[in-house]
Amino acid sequence: MSKHNASPTTMVIFPAKNEEATIEHVIATAKKSNSKPEILVVDAYSSDRTAELARDAGAKVIQQDAKMFPAKGVAMKAGLKEAIDGNADIILFLDADIKNLTPDWIDKLVDGCANCDMVRGCYQRHTRDAAVTKLIARPMLHVFFPELSHFEQPLSGEVCARKDVWKGLLAKNPPDGWGIDVWFLIEAVMSGYQIKEIFLGSKEHTSFEDYRDDIGKLSKMAEQVEFTIITEAFIHGRTDAYKEVKI
């Protein structure tokens, strides 16, 4: 088969920190996808057996560049550089703590890139889940970037795009922390990329158990998401939008 006719190569990236309870499951599930992806785990210096179990499960494992936390952006950027250097055509991020991940999620996200630039997952979650999305991200996007108001999950960890899209976004210097998910969404839209959300069903993830009884544990995430959106509003000349808010 010629290179021109070859199927695009796909890489699934799992940013992970202390996810030994789920890492084997998500890797095994990803391997069952019709896209036959390569699997990369970007380990954030886990103190448990995440990296060991990931290697044993057949994934390539690298460490994020800086030993810091929270640093989801650092991990995602390290993963993108590895995938781009490896010439992956389609690059998909998935959360590493998903208890009910299925190959269908991966197939839907990868297949969606056939007719748009970026595909983002959305899902049904526990009513007490997604506090930062509900109370920070969506309200602030409604004010400063109203054209993004229709996105149900602006902080989705399930995001797929072609290599050239990721390269373009990576060149814009994404943030290092929790703000990277909404940053990718804003910058992708402002760059003119076509984006769509795909419903993936319900999402069950272990991190919810860490904060379901105390959403105060999400304060650092909320702070970083908030200031990412404010910074983007300044960059794109949207700061006067607050004047339209009725209080």
Side-chain angles (χ1 to χ4, degrees):
M1 180 180 291
S2 69
K3 184 177 181 180
H4 177 75
N5 294 323
S7 299
T9 58
T10 300
M11 178 172 284
V12 172
I13 303 175
F14 292 104
K17 182 177 176 65
N18 295 337
E19 303 292 0
E20 67 178 5
T22 53
I23 195 66
E24 292 173 299
H25 163 66
V26 296
I27 291 171
T29 301
K31 286 183 174 182
K32 296 176 184 176
S33 165
N34 293 331
S35 61
K36 306 300 180 186
E38 299 177 46
I39 313 295
L40 175 68
V41 172
V42 184
D43 183 60
Y45 294 90
S46 295
S47 59
D48 66 5
R49 299 176 63 214
T50 296
E52 174 191 348
L53 293 174
R55 289 190 187 94
D56 290 346
K60 180 176 183 178
V61 179
I62 63 171
Q63 294 282 357
Q64 68 180 39
D65 299 334
K67 193 174 184 179
M68 57 185 285
F69 186 83
K72 185 177 184 183
V74 172
M76 291 182 73
K77 288 185 284 187
L80 282 175
K81 292 173 184 175
E82 185 75 20
I84 291 168
D85 288 346
N87 291 317
D89 299 307
I90 303 293
I91 303 170
L92 166 61
F93 284 99
L94 295 172
D95 288 340
D97 69 335
I98 305 172
K99 296 190 290 184
N100 64 326
L101 180 67
T102 69
D104 187 54
W105 284 31
I106 299 162
D107 295 338
K108 287 181 176 179
L109 291 164
V110 172
D111 291 347
C113 282
N115 56 16
C116 73
D117 298 308
M118 176 181 284
V119 184
R120 302 174 62 90
C122 63
Y123 20 74
Q124 183 177 356
R125 300 167 79 167
H126 191 285
T127 54
R128 298 180 66 182
D129 200 357
V132 178
T133 295
K134 296 172 182 176
L135 302 177
I136 301 292
R138 293 199 68 190
M140 291 190 69
L141 288 174
H142 180 72
V143 172
F144 294 110
F145 297 93
E147 65 270 45
L148 306 185
S149 296
H150 64 285
F151 284 100
E152 294 288 335
Q153 301 289 340
L155 306 183
S156 178
E158 288 65 56
V159 185
C160 187
R162 300 189 313 275
K163 177 173 63 177
D164 61 298
V165 175
W166 287 123
K167 285 181 70 174
L169 294 172
L170 194 58
K172 294 176 178 287
N173 192 28
D176 288 338
W178 290 118
I180 193 166
D181 293 314
V182 74
W183 185 94
F184 275 137
L185 174 61
I186 294 171
E187 283 297 326
V189 170
M190 300 306 291
S191 298
Y193 292 122
Q194 182 182 3
I195 306 170
K196 66 180 178 182
E197 275 189 320
I198 292 180
F199 183 67
L200 300 174
S202 64
K203 181 177 183 179
E204 300 174 12
H205 57 124
T206 61
S207 60
F208 175 50
E209 302 303 320
D210 296 334
Y211 58 77
R212 66 179 298 163
D213 295 322
D214 181 11
I215 62 171
K217 293 179 179 180
L218 297 173
S219 60
K220 177 56 69 174
M221 180 182 184
E223 174 187 287
Q224 292 186 350
V225 169
E226 178 179 13
F227 279 96
T228 297
I229 296 173
I230 291 173
T231 299
E232 287 292 286
F234 273 101
I235 290 172
H236 295 290
R238 299 296 185 90
T239 52
D240 285 344
Y242 78 92
K243 297 177 182 178
E244 302 299 322
V245 179
K246 307 300 180 184
I247 58 174

